[in-house]
Each structure stands twice: as structure tokens, then as C-alpha cells.
Amino acid sequence: MTAKEFWEEFKDFEEGLRHEIEFVREDKKMQTFSYLCSQLDDYCFGLTPNILSPEKDTSKNYILTISCSGNRDLLIYVNRLVELAPEIKHWDIKALVEGKIETDPKMMMDPFTCDGFSITPKDIRFTVYSWDPERDIFDLLLLLPLSLSEVDDAELENAFITIFEELWGERFVGEKINCLFFTHNASSEEDFFELEMLKVCLESFE
């Protein structure tokens, strides 16, 4: 399915999608939303839709955000799909989930609950482990509290990718983060910084 074909199909079922969002109870299967997901899969497997409803009694539009969960290999497909989106009444189309830290700085203080453990961003420090200047992507070394010492590295990486997306958005994760490494011991050879400085730090490299 091409991007143009996707949007032509979307225009045919978007009214039903809006009706389903407004009137179908959460415990009922949302068939039109499931169809939207399958259409996205036909265009590019791995993309997902996020829909934000407008506030009641306002003239604002629904917001459809096309997500790739930080997968940099899919960024080009998201960008192309959104660039080719036509004007569709009642809808604003956006590429990639945006971060929330700029509008909600207290997120650094709030714990993110994972399966069997939690991570509070303000407790985390980081340093740049390596930088690929041609691709402008980074490997990071994260200094973690001892309370996370028993958590598997794969679980930690999944958790931190999710946290980074929540804080700084999908585009930042997809374009800047390559690999994550973890330690519980601060080495005198490394300068670790507060996690809230991560985006500013990585964007300062030239």
C-alpha cells in the first residue's frame, strides 16, 4: 500500500472512527481502530496510530499521530506518510509522539513503573560512551542506583527507551540514541551528568 492509497482509504472510514472513539465503550472492541492499525501495517509494518480526542464543546480537531516506537529504520516511512497527508476535515496529522518534559518538567521527579521495578529519572546520571559523527548517533553509559542492580540489561534498555520517548519524544530517540550501557559504579575516569541535560548535551556535538 502506498502513502496516497492509505490516505484515500482513511478518508473513507474516518467518520466511523470518530464515532467509535466518542461512543464505543472501552470494554468493547473498536473495529474501525483495528482496521486503521491493519492499514498502517499494510503501508509499513511497525507503525502504530495514536489518537487524541478534542475537548468537549470545542472546535478543535482530532489528532492522529503516526508512531514508530523510536525505530530509526522506520522514521523515513513515518515522515513520508505524514508529508503526503491531505487536508482532512476534523483531523490534524502529526509525525512521531512528542516528548512531554518541556511542558511537564516535574516528570524528572516522578517514578516510571516497570515490570517489577521503577526508575526515577532524577536518580539517573549519564555520560557519552561513543559518538558516530557521520550518523550523529550516540552510545550512552547510564549510572544507575544499586536498587536496579538485579534488573537484566535488556529490560533496562527497553525501560529507558520508553522513558526517553516520554521525556524527549520519538524523533530524539530514533535519531540520536544507538545503544545503552549500564553501570552502578561511578568511575573517576568518567564525568557523569544529570539526565535532564541529555538532550542539550547530545545536540551540542558538532
Side-chain angles (χ1 to χ4, degrees):
M1 172 178 283
T2 67
K4 183 178 179 180
E5 289 170 340
F6 173 86
W7 291 120
E8 288 301 317
E9 185 73 11
F10 182 80
K11 286 189 288 186
D12 288 340
F13 67 79
E14 64 82 20
E15 182 178 0
L17 181 61
R18 285 187 283 114
H19 182 275
E20 188 175 80
I21 292 169
E22 292 301 321
F23 299 108
V24 175
R25 296 198 325 239
E26 291 184 3
D27 60 343
K28 297 293 184 180
K29 184 177 181 180
M30 298 183 68
Q31 294 180 341
T32 311
F33 182 79
S34 296
Y35 183 69
L36 169 61
C37 295
S38 69
Q39 292 298 100
L40 268 180
D41 280 344
D42 285 345
Y43 165 71
C44 176
F45 186 79
L47 303 190
T48 57
N50 293 278
I51 297 176
L52 182 63
S53 300
E55 298 177 4
K56 298 291 186 181
D57 302 320
T58 70
S59 59
K60 294 181 180 179
N61 289 336
Y62 292 80
I63 298 174
L64 170 61
T65 302
I66 307 299
S67 167
C68 65
S69 301
N71 185 337
R72 73 172 56 84
D73 294 331
L74 302 183
L75 288 175
I76 188 173
Y77 297 98
V78 174
N79 290 334
R80 179 170 177 78
L81 185 62
V82 174
E83 286 170 3
L84 294 179
E87 291 287 334
I88 302 175
K89 188 177 181 181
H90 306 298
W91 292 91
D92 292 330
I93 313 299
K94 295 187 176 183
L96 307 172
V97 176
E98 297 178 353
K100 302 174 184 175
I101 188 65
E102 292 186 6
T103 57
D104 189 9
K106 68 178 179 58
M107 289 179 69
M108 297 299 298
M109 309 290 185
D110 296 334
F112 285 76
T113 301
C114 308
D115 186 16
F117 62 97
S118 66
I119 297 172
T120 303
K122 72 175 181 60
D123 295 335
I124 309 302
R125 302 290 183 269
F126 80 95
T127 191
V128 173
Y129 190 78
S130 65
W131 173 46
D132 182 341
E134 291 187 3
R135 299 166 63 198
D136 196 25
I137 59 173
F138 298 83
D139 293 342
L140 303 177
L141 178 64
L142 302 182
L143 176 61
L144 309 182
L146 290 176
S147 59
L148 297 174
S149 60
E150 299 301 319
V151 182
D152 180 76
D153 280 3
E155 291 183 75
L156 286 171
E157 182 159 12
N158 289 335
F160 273 102
I161 291 297
T162 300
I163 291 171
F164 289 175
E165 288 178 357
E166 285 282 312
L167 293 173
W168 295 291
E170 279 190 272
R171 188 174 298 281
F172 172 77
V173 172
E175 293 181 349
K176 294 293 186 181
I177 307 299
N178 185 40
C179 291
L180 301 178
F181 301 96
F182 307 100
T183 184
H184 303 278
N185 301 301
S187 168
S188 59
E189 299 177 358
E190 303 284 357
D191 291 324
F192 286 92
F193 306 95
E194 294 183 0
L195 192 63
E196 65 182 314
M197 298 298 298
L198 179 62
K199 188 171 187 288
V200 172
C201 175
L202 300 193
E203 291 179 345
S204 70
F205 278 69
E206 295 181 357

